[in-house]
Amino acid sequence: MGGPITDVIHMVHAPVGCAWYTWGTRRHLSDLYTWALPGKLTNVAFNRRYCTVTDMEEKDVVFGGMKKLKKACLEAFRMFPEARGMVIYTTCTTGLIGDDVSAVARQLEEETGKFILYAEAPGCSGVSQSKGHHVANHQFFRQIRKLREKRPDLCMKEEEKTPYDIALVGEYNIDWDTKVILPLFEKMGVRVIVTFTGNSRIEDLIKMPDAELNVVHCQRSATYIAELIQEGFEVPYVGCSLFGIQQTSNALRRTAKFFGLEEQAEKVIAEETARVEKALSFYRERLKGKKVAIYVGAPRVWHWIKVMEELGMEVVAGACTFAHEDDYEKINARAKDGVLIIDNPNEFEIEEMLHEYKPDLFLTGLKEKFIGRKMGIPTLNSHSYEKGPYAGYAGFVNFARDIYQAIYAPVWKFL
Amino acid sequence: MSASLELLPNRRGHVVLNKKDAAEKPECGRSTLPGVISQRACAFYGARWMLAAIPDVVHLVHGPVGCAYYGRTVRRTNYRIFSSNLAERDIVFGAGDKLYNSIREAVRQFSGTRAVIVYATCVVGITGEDLSAICNRASTDLGLPVVPVNCPGFCGTSQAAGHDIAVNVLLEHFIGKGDKKEPPLDNTVNILGEFDVQGDLGEIEALLGQLGINIICTFSGRASTTAMANSHRAKLNIVHCRRTGQALAEAMHDRFHIPFLKVSFFGLEETTAALRAVGEFFGSDKTEKVIAQDVKKARREIEPFLPGLAGRRVALFFGASRMGSMAKAFQELGMEVIMAGSQFGCRQDYREAGDKVKEGVLLMDDAHDRELEELLTKYRPDLLVGGTKEKYMAHKLGVPFLVFPQEMSPFAGFNGFVNLAREVSGIMGAPVWRLAQSRREVSKLKVAVASGNGLTIDQHFGRAEQFMIFELTPNSVSLLEIRRPAGKESVSYQDSGGRDGVRQRIDLLADCRAVLCTRAGECARKQAGNTGLTVLEKEGPLSEALKWCSSVL
Amino acid sequence: MAAATGARVVTIDPCHTCQPLGAAYLLLGIRGAVPLVHGSQGCCSYVRYLLNRHFREPVKVAATSFHEDAAVFGGRRNLVEGIKNLLLCYSPRFIGVVSTCLSETIGDNIDSIIREVQKELNGKINVSSKQVKIVPIHTPSYAGSHIKGYDNASRAVLEYLVQPGKDSNGKLNVIPGIINPGDIEEIKHILVEMDVPFLVLYDISRTLDTPLEISMSRLPKEGTSVKELADAANSLGTIALCRHAGGAGARYLQKKFNIPALLGPLPVGIANTDRFLDSVKKLIGKEIPSSLEWERGILLDAMADSCQYTMMKRAALVGDPDIVAGTTRFICELGMEPAVVMSSTASDEFVREVEVIAREYDYNPVVISGGDLYDFESALKERRADIILSPSHGVEIARKVKVPVVRLGFPVYDRVGYHRRAIVGYRGSLSLLDLIVNSLLEFS
C-alpha cells in the first residue's frame, strides 16, 4: 500500500530480512528522481532506489527499538533532505515487542515538521496480505484525518477545487499503468487530483478527501479507504475495472455519469477504441480459442475474465491468494459455468489444475511461472507485467502482444 | 665477444654485440631469409602505414580482396577502404576497366573526396597493368587527382620500400600543391614521421604550443590534403621518425628550402633536447621555463614507479628508428637495455642505437621468431618490447611484453613519459608472472629469518649479514641452510644483470615465502611485494616468531 | 526476398579475405606443422597478425619472402631455401606450402619444387628420422575467399597423406571448418557423451589455445597428427561441420574411399544440433544418451524463460556462410526475425539454405551473398534491426546505427576470450542465447 508513495522515506522497522525481501521487487514505478535525470534509470526512482531499515538485532529486541527507530529516522531525514515525509512500517518482531510507533511518529513530526505516516502490520496478523491492506487503509485514513484537523492548511483550498475532481483509488502504477489511464479521464474533462497510491506525493494524499468522487480500481486492497472517506467526508465512490476495451469504456461512462460528462466520455471511448483496433485485431485473430488459467491475488481474476473474452480466449480456471467472499461473487458473476475456482491454492493443487485443464496460457506470478513452463505451458507475469503497462486501451495492446509472444514462442514446438 | 645465440649461417652478420666503433654494426637492409618467421611485412603494408590516415581521400587497393581486408587496419584503427577485388578472370584478361569503373564508383558514392589513391598489389605488379595511364584517365574524367602508388608487396625487402614509395607519392602529388607564392608562415613547423598513436601528437603539439609554435601538417598522423598542400609554408621540418621522415625532410629541403631537425620526444632528456633545439631555431625565450616546470612535474610523478623498475632488464625490438629514440627513455627509468633490434633498420638507425646503449649490448637486425625465442630463454630479460606478433610468444615463455605502437595512452613528451613508466610498471608487476613459475606448495613453507645469533630476530633486512632459511610444515620446523648476501656483482647483461643491494637480497630469497626481520625499508618492502616475498617485521625469539608465521601465512 | 550480390563494381570495406588465411588456419591444427606461405612477406605477416589478435596466441607461419628478383625470375630459390631454413629452425613434422596470388600468377610449380627438395633432403639436413611431410596447397588469393582456402587445404592434405588400410578404425571423422577452439571442444564433449570414437581433422582446439606453462617447446604438442590424418580413410564416416570450409575434404574421402560424408549445417540451436546428433547416430550406430537430452532440456528451458525478451525482435547477421546460416535458424527458434542475413563469401547454397529457413518460419529477410560491409550498412538502413550478430568489424556499424551487437564468428579482436566460447551444441547455443538476451537487456 505504502510503497508507491514517491516522495517519502519508507522506513521498515524490523530485522533486515523484511526490508531486503521487499526492496525493489514490485514495479510500482514513479517519476521522482532526486539524484538522476528523468528518463534515465526509469526503474529506480526515489521510492525504489533506497531501502531504509532499522535492522533490529538481538539487543534491540530485548531492550526495545524505539530509540533506534527515532535515531534512524532522524538520520534518514538528514541524508535525504528532499524527502517530504516518511512511512514507518512495523513487522512481526517490532509488533510483538510492543514498540509504540505512534509515539515516535509524533515526536518526529514535532522535531522535523515533516509528514509521518505509519502502518502497523505484523506479518503474522490476519491470514494473508489482505490484512495488511486492511490495516494500512484504516491507519492511513486515521492519520490523514488527524493531520487535516491539526493542519487545515494542508487540505485543498476551496478556490483550488473544481467540480470534476476525482481520486483514483487502488491504482499502484504498475509498469506505468497511470500513463495510459490518467489521460483518459483528463480527456473527458475530469481532473485526477491524486492516485492512491501509484506515483503519488504525500501532500496530494492528504488532499484525497477533497475529491468529489473516488474511483476504485483495485477493490480488494482499497475499498476500505473509499468507504471510510465516504463515511467520514461524505465523498461517494464507484468501483470500476480499467482492463480491456469494454471494461475501461464502462469505467469512463460510469464516472462521466456522475459528472454529467457522458458525451465527452463517448468521444474519448470512440477515439481510443479506433486507435487500437488494428493492432488488437492482429492478435485477436491469432489468439482465438485459446484457453487461459489465471492465478493472482484476487481482483485481477475477475477483472480479466472479460478481458480474455475480448481477445477470443476463454478462462478455464482461476485461483486467488487472498480473495474475500465479494471477490468470489464477482468471479461467479463473470465466469462461465464449469470454470474451476481455487481459493489459496498450494503448489500441488496448481500443478493438478494445469495438468487437468491444460490451458494454452497461465497468467500468474513469479513463483508459479516456472511450474507452468516446465509443463510446457507459456506464462506471463501478472503482478508486475512483462512489458507493460496493461491497463486502459494502449495497455491492452501491450497485454495482447505479450500474450501472443508467450503463446507463439517457437520453443514450445520442440518439447 | 660473440653473441651466444644459435644462428643460421646467413644470419651471422645480423646479430652482433655493440662496440662503440662504427664498423661493427649489424648487417641490415638485406633480403629476408626465406623460411624463417621474420617479423617483416611488405611494401604495401609500408605504403598503407604512411598513407592510410589521410582522411579526405578514397583509398583504393587494386588487387585481390585480401590486401584490402588486411590493409584496412593500420595501427589498430579500421579505415574505410576500397578494393577492385580482382578475381581470376580479371587477372587473366586484364583489370584496367574494372579499376577505372571502381574509381568512378567510389568517388560517386562519397562526395567530398579530394583525391583517389590507388595502391598496386603483387599481382598488379606482375601482370604489368599500366596503372599510371588508367589513373590519369580517371583523373581527367573526374577532375580530381587520382594517384597511383606503385607498391606491390614484393618491392624491396620490407615495409621500408613502401614508406619510401609513399613519400615520393606525397611529394609528387600532395605536398606544396597550395599557392607557391604564399610566403612561409612564422612559427610553424611540420612534423615528419609522427602517426599520433594514442594521442602522441597531442602531447607534442601541446609542448610546441607552449613555445608559441604551430603545426601545419603532421606526416601522416594528421595530414589532410589541405594541410599537405600548405606544408611548404612551414619554417622548419621536425623529423620524429628517421625511417619515415628523413627522406621526406631532405626532399622538402631541396624543393622548398625548408631546414629540418631530427629529434625525439620520448623520454625526459630527449624531449628536453628536442624542445631546446626547436626553441633555439625559433628564438623562443620560453623554452627553459617550460622545460623546468614540466620536467619537475614528470620526475615527481614517475617517482613511485622507479623502485620497481630499477635495474630491470629490457629488450627492444622495433620497426627501425625507435631503437635509438626509446633506448634513452627506458634507461632514464633506471632500466637496462640488453638488446636493441629492429625489423628493417638502416645503418644510421643502428649507429644511433649503438651510441645510446652500452658496449656489449646485443644488436639484432630482422630478428626472426626463433632468434627471439632464443634471446628470451638465454638472456631472460624482465621485459620485451615489440609488436603484436611477438607478444604471445613472449608470454608463453613467461616474459612480460609491451606492445608498440602502444595500445593505451600517449608515450610522447613529458606526460607520455609518465604514462610509459606507469604502463611498464603495471605490465611487469602483474602477479601472473610469478604465479606462472612453479606451483606453490601449500603444506611446506620456506621462511627466511634475519638472525645473527640463531636465537632471536635481530637484524635489519638491508643490513643483515646472513639469512637463516627454515622449512615449516604443519608439524615441524627445520633449518635448511644459511645464506649470506654477497657484495655488489659487476654489471653484465649476460647473466641476471646489474642490481642494487636490495634487489640482490630479494633474489637471494626468491624461493622463500616470507622473510622475518626487525625492520625493512619501504623500497625493500615494495620490491619484495612485487616478487611475492612477504616481509614480516618482528622482534624477539625465533621459535615463537616461526610458529606465528605459519599461522599467518 | 532480396538476394543482392553487390551490383557495385568496387568493394567497400570487405568482410572476407583471401585463401591463404583459411589454409593457414587449417594447417595450424596439425601436430608439429608450420604453414609456409609462398609469396610476399605481407601474406604471412598479415595472416599472423590477424590470428594473433583473434586467438591471443603465438602463431607460427613462415614465408618464403618474395622480393623483386623472385617476382621476375620465379620463386623457386626462395621455396627451396625456405623449406631448408624452416626445417633447421623448427624441425617440423609437417610443412604445408601455401601458394599466393603472386606465386600462382608467375606460375611457380610448387608441387615439382617440393618433390625436388624432398629428393635433395634425404640425408643432407639434420632432421630426425621421421620423415617430414611437405604438402603443396594451391590457394590463389584471387579465387574465392578464406573459406575456399580452408576448403582447398582440407582436400589437399588428405590427398597427400591418406593411406587406406584393411580394417576400419571405427571412428567418426570431424572436419571443423573455421570455428573456434571452444566449438571444437564442445563437439568433442558431445561425441564423448555419445561414446563415439572420433578423429578431429585439423584440430586447433589445443594448438591455438595453449596454457601458459613456461616451456621451451617450440611448436604446440597437440593437434591432429600425421598418422591420424593418414588413418582418416579407414573411418566410418566424415562430418564436415561447415559445408563451405571442409566439405571438399569430406567429399574427397567419400569419392575415393566410399566413406559417407555429411556436410553441415553447423549445429547451432535445437534443430541443427538435433540433426547433428542424428547424423552421428546414423553413421556410427550409437544412441543419444540421457545426458544430452538433459542439455537439450536446459536449452529449451532457457529459451522459454527468455522468449519474452526475444520474441519479435529483429536480428541482422553477417559473417562466414556456415556460421551465419546455422545461427539464423537458431535466432528464428528464439522467435526473432532475421532482417538482414549476409554471407562474407558468395555462395548459392548459402542463399538456398537461408531461404528454406525463412520459408519455414514465414519471414522475408534481405539475403546478401558475398557482400561487403557497406552493403551490410546500407541494408540496415532499409531494414532496421534490434540486434546485430557479427565479427568485430561489424561493431563500428552497430555503433553507427545505435544497435547492440553480439560478437560472433571470426575475427573477434576487440573483446577477450571469444575463441574459448562455443556456439555449437546445446550448451554452446545456450551460451550464445545468454549473450543475445543479456545484450538486449543491457541495451534497453
Side-chain angles (χ1 to χ4, degrees), chain B residues 33-206:
Chain B
L33 210 58
V36 300
I37 303 182
S38 163
Q39 312 301 348
R40 285 175 171 181
C42 63
F44 169 72
Y45 181 105
R48 281 295 292 161
W49 183 270
M50 282 303 292
L51 302 172
I54 301 172
D56 40 2
V57 152
V58 160
H59 298 263
L60 181 68
V61 179
H62 187 39
V65 76
C67 303
Y69 179 87
Y70 296 124
R72 183 168 180 235
T73 310
V74 181
R75 295 180 292 269
R76 266 183 302 273
T77 307
N78 288 347
Y79 292 96
R80 164 141 285 155
I81 197 146
F82 298 78
S83 168
S84 53
N85 197 350
L86 298 186
E88 188 158 13
R89 179 177 11 100
D90 305 313
I91 312 258
V92 172
F93 294 114
D97 281 343
K98 192 172 196 195
L99 174 60
Y100 178 80
N101 289 329
S102 298
I103 297 173
R104 282 197 80 101
E105 263 187 352
V107 172
R108 208 179 22 235
Q109 284 276 12
F110 299 95
S111 62
T113 302
R114 297 283 185 106
V116 179
I117 294 181
V118 178
Y119 303 81
T121 57
C122 289
V123 167
V124 168
I126 284 294
T127 56
E129 194 104 64
D130 190 351
L131 215 56
S132 313
I134 301 168
C135 289
N136 281 338
R137 190 173 127 226
S139 178
T140 316
D141 293 345
L142 293 170
L144 41 74
V146 178
V147 173
V149 181
N150 242 308
C151 58
F154 54 73
C155 283
T157 57
S158 69
Q159 301 85 307
H163 300 152
D164 296 335
I165 294 168
V167 161
N168 285 331
V169 164
L170 292 178
L171 281 166
E172 204 182 312
H173 297 272
F174 293 99
I175 295 178
K177 288 300 172 191
D179 197 337
K180 297 280 194 325
K181 289 197 234 45
E182 298 260 15
L185 291 163
D186 279 330
N187 294 319
T188 57
V189 297
N190 294 317
I191 308 193
L192 277 47
E194 169 51 43
F195 301 93
D196 195 16
V197 179
Q198 299 297 333
D200 271 343
L201 181 58
E203 294 294 326
I204 298 174
E205 195 174 26

Side-chain angles (χ1 to χ4, degrees), chain B residues 32 81 370 373 395-396, chain C residues 13 41 89 210 212 216 218:
Chain B
T32 319
I81 197 146
R370 163 80 195 256
E373 280 179 355
H395 282 183
K396 297 294 183 188
Chain C
D13 295 341
Q41 280 158 194
C89 282
T210 61
L212 178 56
M216 305 310 143
R218 298 238 135 77

Side-chain angles (χ1 to χ4, degrees), chain B residues 346-360:
Chain B
C346 64
R347 299 218 119 237
Q348 220 178 338
D349 293 320
Y350 287 108
R351 213 172 298 141
E352 186 190 341
D355 286 338
K356 301 225 167 119
V357 302
K358 299 203 174 84
E359 284 249 334

